[in-house]
Amino acid sequence: MTDAIGVILFTGVIAYAVFGGADFGAGFWDLTAGGAVRGSAPRSLIDRSIGPVWEANHTWLIYCLVVLWTGFPPAFAAITTTLYIPLGLAAFGIVLRGSGFAFRKVTLRTAQQRLTGVLFAVSSVLTPFCFGGIAGAVASGRVPSAGGGAPLSSWLNPTGVLGGVLAVVVCAYLAAVFLSSAATHPYPDEALHRYFRRRALAAGIAAGIVCLAGVFVLHADAPRLFHQLSTRGLALLIVSAAAGLAALATLRARRPRLPRSIASLAVATVIAGWGVAQYPYLLGTHLSLTQAAAPEPTLWVLVAVACTAAVLIAPSLAALYVLHERDRLTSSA
C-alpha cells in the first residue's frame, strides 16, 4: 500500500513536469524572444498555444501536495519547514506568472505591457529553478527527517543548483518542441517552425551538457544518488536520452503530435529514473516511504480519492486539450 501511494505521488510529479514544464518553458522563450517588433510573432504563438490551458496544469501541483501531505505527513512537514524559501518563491512565481500573462493581454500602454511581460517571463524561469532545487535537496538528503534544516544551504548547493538549472533547460526544450509543432498545425508558419526548431535543438544540446556535467556533480556531492542512477535507473535515463533525440529528429516530419509525444516521454522517463533511484527512500537515505507513511486506513482512503481524481481530472484535461485543438482548427478555417 505504501508503495502504491508512492507511485500515485510520482505519477502526479511526472504529469506536472510534462504539462507544467511545457508552459514554464514557453515563458523562457518569451523572455528571450527579443524586442517588441522582433519578438511579436513568437510571443503571439506562445499566447495562442498556452492561453486556454496554462492554469489547468497547476492541478497536478495541488494533487502532489495533497498526496504528500495526506500519505506522508512527516515528509511533508520536513520539506515545508526546511525548504520554505524555494517553496515560497515558487508559489510567488506562479502568482506573478499568472498575473503577468493575464494583464499583458488587457493593458494598453507599452510600458505596462513590457512590465507584465517581464513578470510573466522571469517568473517562468524562477519557478522551475526553485522546483528543481527542491528536488535536488530531497534527493541529496539535505532535508532532515525532523525538519527545520538549513533554509539556504539545503537547496543552494551543487546538487540543488544542478536540479534547478536542469529543470529550466528541460522546460525550455519541451516548450520549444511543442511550439515548433504548434507552428505547423493548424495554420503552418514555416518561419516560426524553423525558429522554434532551432531553439529546441539548442535546448537539447544544453540539456545534454548539463546532464554530462551533472555526472561529476552527483558523483562528488550525492554519491548514493549517482550510484543508483548509474545502475537501477540507467535504463530509464537511456530511454530518456534516446527519446529526446528522436523528438528533435521528428520535428521535420510535420506531424505535430509525434514530436510532442516523444519529448514528453523523454521528460517522463528522466523523472521516473529519479524516482527509481530514490526508492525506497523519500528523503535522502534517512526517511523511507514506510517510515513516513500515514496509518493504513488513511492510505486506503487516499487511494480511493486518487482513483476518483484520476477519473475526473484526466478526462477533463483531455477534453480541454481536444477542445483547444478544435478551436484552433475552427479559427483557421
Side-chain angles (χ1 to χ4, degrees):
M1 179 59 63
T2 303
D3 290 346
I5 299 298
V7 171
I8 289 172
L9 173 61
F10 239 80
T11 300
V13 173
I14 291 172
Y16 189 56
V18 172
F19 296 108
D23 278 357
F24 287 128
F28 176 87
W29 298 120
D30 187 291
L31 179 66
T32 59
V37 176
R38 186 163 64 93
S40 61
R43 291 190 178 103
S44 178
L45 178 61
I46 289 170
D47 287 351
R48 293 198 308 270
S49 298
I50 72 173
V53 296
W54 64 282
E55 278 285 31
N57 293 321
H58 295 308
T59 302
W60 294 111
L61 175 60
I62 299 170
Y63 170 92
C64 293
L65 291 175
V66 170
V67 173
L68 179 62
W69 179 18
T70 308
F72 307 102
F76 181 87
I79 291 171
T80 52
T81 57
T82 299
L83 302 172
Y84 55 87
I85 292 179
L87 285 169
L89 288 174
F92 187 54
I94 289 173
V95 173
L96 283 182
R97 183 175 184 271
S99 302
F101 186 73
F103 284 115
R104 79 171 179 177
K105 291 176 174 294
V106 297
T107 52
L108 300 177
R109 297 180 180 178
T110 303
Q112 294 175 335
Q113 291 177 342
R114 287 176 178 171
L115 175 60
T116 54
V118 167
L119 289 177
F120 165 70
V122 172
S123 58
S124 295
V125 175
L126 172 66
T127 304
F129 179 84
C130 291
F131 282 135
I134 291 168
V138 170
S140 61
R142 288 183 167 92
V143 179
S145 300
L152 290 177
S153 61
S154 59
W155 66 290
L156 292 179
N157 53 71
T159 303
V161 172
L162 171 67
V165 173
L166 186 60
V168 172
V169 173
V170 167
C171 288
Y173 160 78
L174 192 60
V177 172
F178 274 51
L179 290 167
S180 178
S181 297
T184 66
H185 179 80
Y187 22 79
D189 188 321
E190 183 60 29
L192 275 179
H193 174 67
R194 291 197 305 268
Y195 177 91
F196 282 110
R197 190 176 67 199
R198 289 194 298 267
R199 280 151 181 78
L201 179 60
I205 294 173
I209 293 173
V210 172
C211 289
L212 183 61
V215 171
F216 301 98
V217 172
L218 292 180
H219 185 271
D221 192 58
R224 192 255 176 194
L225 180 62
F226 169 80
H227 173 73
Q228 294 295 87
L229 285 173
S230 59
T231 53
R232 184 189 294 177
L234 182 60
L236 287 168
L237 297 185
I238 293 174
V239 172
S240 177
L245 293 173
L248 296 175
T250 56
L251 283 176
R252 296 179 178 272
R254 301 296 194 277
R255 297 176 61 185
R257 289 185 179 85
L258 183 60
R260 287 185 294 188
S261 300
I262 300 176
S264 298
L265 175 65
V267 176
T269 47
V270 76
I271 300 294
W274 168 41
V276 169
Q278 189 77 14
Y279 182 81
Y281 295 100
L282 196 55
L283 299 178
T285 58
H286 49 269
L287 185 66
S288 67
L289 290 168
T290 303
Q291 292 170 332
E296 187 169 345
T298 302
L299 298 183
W300 276 108
V301 173
L302 185 57
V303 168
V305 171
C307 292
T308 303
V311 170
L312 294 175
I313 292 176
S316 299
L317 288 177
L320 180 61
Y321 293 129
V322 170
L323 291 174
H324 177 37
E325 288 295 319
R326 288 180 180 176
D327 179 65
R328 292 177 63 194
L329 286 169
T330 303
S331 300
S332 64

